[in-house]
């Protein structure tokens, strides 16, 4: 679901959808439903899959890294740096209507940073940009992020989209 609640654009633009070499169109913000799957913890982080489900009536294709960042406030302003892209760009994933792909996100426990380094800030959730897309989606996830954009490490990291 696309929402302006987190400062994103409306996905009902009049720009035609791009197509892939196979003729499928690229998945766009308005085509998908996003959710966070169950995660695993380890070494000061939690790892959760971002589940990307084709909610449209036509197939679409997705490839690469989604843009992920914490957002806060009624205006949906970004908190800290966007997620670091970890690994290499994967193969294209074709999603028929109702099919799901995933991109794994690492959430560092920001309380492991000293407060003076992190500058803890409440967040409402995540702003997500699908690969090659300029409209965003919002995924609610209240918590805490680091407002400092010069952390010794990454508070968020994301891997390429893959079959779920």
């Amino acid at each position: 679901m696309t929402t302006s609640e987190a400062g994103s654009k409306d996905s009902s633009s009049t720009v035609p959808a791009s197509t892939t070499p196979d003729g499928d169109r690229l998945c766009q913000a308005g085509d998908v439903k996003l959710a966070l799957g169950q995660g695993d913890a380890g070494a000061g982080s939690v790892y959760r899959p971002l589940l990307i489900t084709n909610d449209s009536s036509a197939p679409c294709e997705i490839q690469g890294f989604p843009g992920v960042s914490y957002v806060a406030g009624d205006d949906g302003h970004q908190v800290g740096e966007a997620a670091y892209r970890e690994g290499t760009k994967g193969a294209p994933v074709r999603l028929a209507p109702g099919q799901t792909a995933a991109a794994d996100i690492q959430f560092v426990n920001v309380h492991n940073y000293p407060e003076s380094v992190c500058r803890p800030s409440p967040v409402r959730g995540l702003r997500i940009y699908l690969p090659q897309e300029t409209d965003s989606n919002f995924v609610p996830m209240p918590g805490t992020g680091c407002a400092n954009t010069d952390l010794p490490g990454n508070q968020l990291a994301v891997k390429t989209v893959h079959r779920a």
Side-chain angles (χ1 to χ4, degrees):
M1 139 171 134
T2 300
T3 177
S4 59
E5 178 182 1
S8 66
K9 298 177 185 177
D10 180 3
S11 67
S12 61
S13 78
T14 58
V15 177
S18 297
T19 58
T20 66
D22 295 332
D24 285 334
R25 60 189 179 77
L26 295 173
C27 296
Q28 297 183 313
D31 296 331
V32 299
K33 284 188 181 179
L34 302 179
L36 289 171
Q38 297 296 346
D40 293 317
S45 296
V46 173
Y47 300 84
R48 294 181 70 182
L50 172 66
L51 303 174
I52 306 164
T53 302
N54 182 353
D55 194 42
S56 75
S57 61
C60 64
E61 190 172 280
I62 188 168
Q63 179 182 17
F65 298 88
V68 179
S69 58
Y70 283 127
V71 292
D74 291 338
D75 62 351
H77 65 273
Q78 184 170 318
V79 174
E81 288 290 322
Y84 172 78
R85 294 176 175 184
E86 188 175 287
T88 58
K89 182 178 178 178
V93 177
R94 183 179 189 273
L95 294 177
Q99 286 186 323
T100 300
D104 300 318
I105 302 175
Q106 176 185 11
F107 300 88
V108 171
N109 181 348
V110 298
H111 298 293
N112 289 338
Y113 291 109
E115 281 191 30
S116 61
V117 173
C118 174
R119 297 196 324 254
S121 177
V123 298
R124 291 183 32 231
L126 301 170
R127 179 182 297 125
I128 308 290
Y129 288 94
L130 296 179
Q132 303 171 10
E133 170 64 303
T134 57
D135 289 339
S136 65
N137 296 74
F138 175 74
V139 176
M141 192 185 112
T144 303
C146 290
N148 185 358
T149 58
D150 192 26
L151 290 175
N154 303 297
Q155 69 175 338
L156 295 168
V158 63
K159 292 186 178 181
T160 192
V161 173
H162 58 87
R163 293 215 172 273

